[in-house]
Amino acid sequence: TQLLEQSPQFLSIQEGENLTVYCNSSSVFSSLQWYRQEPGEGPVLLVTVVTGGEVKKLKRLTFQFGDARKDSSLHITAAQPGDTGLYLCAGNNQGGKLIFGQGTELSVKP
Amino acid sequence: GAVVSQHPSRVICKSGTSVKIECRSLDFQATTMFWYRQFPKQSLMLMATSNEGSKATYEQGVEKDKFLINHASLTLSTLTVTSAHPEDSSFYICSAHKGRTPDYEQYFGPGTRLTVT
């Protein structure tokens, strides 16, 4: 069974701080996707990383895929209250079915 | 991007009744759609994979006779919760992917909040 361990599960920080969320697995994924979800809404795709070692940037968010395609990280620089939400990583097991991490509940206080 | 809609967004039903939730891909065709269940402050739990024109594939522990899935067209999948009980109350979310490029990105609907009284 493929598992994706996401950490931390809860994070409460002040506006302006930096943070990193990690997703780790013993399995290789063909790609990994990061989503952000707000209460009462569906997850919104932020990025897909496909190549081992790949780094993608989305404004203040930096996503990295591990060289072996088993792990990924999301780094947020100078967090803002608008970044508050549930962040989900999900690995693609080549069949199109996603394996989700446990999620990281981020709260950014002004 | 790709847009996936769900209807209804919220539904309240009485115990013992059935509820149907629709999932539509609005601007693309989806041969495969997925149904998830999510509890508060938790991640998504895959319930089943819905394939157009064939039977759905259910995850271990999900009762196929209770959660009926029909994928009648390339843009519509439905989930029917039969004989609903209060423990079925949850947030149900569907998703669809546009195919292999780039590597099966999934696009999610806005979710349906089901409350069984």
Side-chain angles (χ1 to χ4, degrees):
Chain A
T1 304
Q2 290 179 300
L3 292 174
L4 201 51
E5 297 289 332
Q6 187 172 344
S7 63
Q9 292 188 34
F10 299 95
L11 195 53
S12 181
I13 61 173
Q14 293 294 130
E15 182 177 1
E17 293 183 7
N18 301 333
L19 67 115
T20 302
V21 178
Y22 299 93
C23 273
N24 296 292
S25 176
S26 58
S27 303
V28 175
F29 292 104
S30 60
S31 67
L32 197 136
Q33 296 165 19
W34 284 91
Y35 295 86
R36 178 168 170 264
Q37 185 182 23
E38 299 202 32
E41 299 180 10
V44 174
L45 179 66
L46 296 175
V47 77
T48 298
V49 285
V50 180
T51 306
E54 183 176 9
V55 177
K56 282 191 174 179
K57 292 194 175 187
L58 187 65
K59 296 183 181 177
R60 292 175 294 99
L61 278 60
T62 301
F63 305 86
Q64 186 162 4
F65 202 13
D67 291 341
R69 290 186 288 131
K70 294 182 179 180
D71 55 86
S72 182
S73 63
L74 157 62
H75 182 78
I76 301 180
T77 304
Q80 299 176 1
D83 295 327
T84 294
L86 179 67
Y87 289 81
L88 298 159
C89 64
N92 189 334
N93 70 353
Q94 294 187 317
K97 194 163 79 170
L98 293 180
I99 309 297
F100 276 89
Q102 298 94 326
T104 296
E105 188 76 37
L106 173 64
S107 173
V108 183
K109 301 186 188 307
Chain B
V3 181
V4 176
S5 71
Q6 270 183 254
H7 179 80
S9 57
R10 289 177 177 271
V11 58
I12 301 172
C13 71
K14 292 190 175 181
S15 190
T17 62
S18 294
V19 174
K20 181 186 284 188
I21 303 170
E22 291 186 348
C23 177
R24 293 182 185 272
S25 55
L26 298 185
D27 53 358
F28 66 101
Q29 294 185 330
T31 55
T32 304
M33 291 183 172
F34 303 87
W35 287 96
Y36 296 85
R37 185 172 179 176
Q38 185 178 34
F39 293 103
K41 303 291 186 181
Q42 294 187 22
S43 188
L44 279 67
M45 182 185 76
L46 179 65
M47 297 175 66
T49 302
S50 171
N51 300 295
E52 188 265 338
S54 64
K55 290 184 179 180
T57 304
Y58 291 83
E59 295 299 302
Q60 192 172 5
V62 177
E63 298 176 60
K64 62 180 181 180
D65 293 332
K66 181 167 186 61
F67 298 100
L68 300 179
I69 291 172
N70 184 274
H71 196 149
S73 76
L74 287 172
T75 59
L76 173 64
S77 175
T78 59
L79 168 69
T80 301
V81 183
T82 63
S83 187
H85 290 283
E87 56 265 32
D88 298 325
S89 297
S90 191
F91 193 51
Y92 292 88
I93 311 175
C94 71
S95 73
H97 66 66
K98 296 169 72 175
R100 202 173 185 87
T101 305
D103 203 46
Y104 300 106
E105 285 180 344
Q106 284 190 25
Y107 297 89
F108 287 82
T112 296
R113 172 73 59 194
L114 170 63
T115 303
V116 184
T117 61

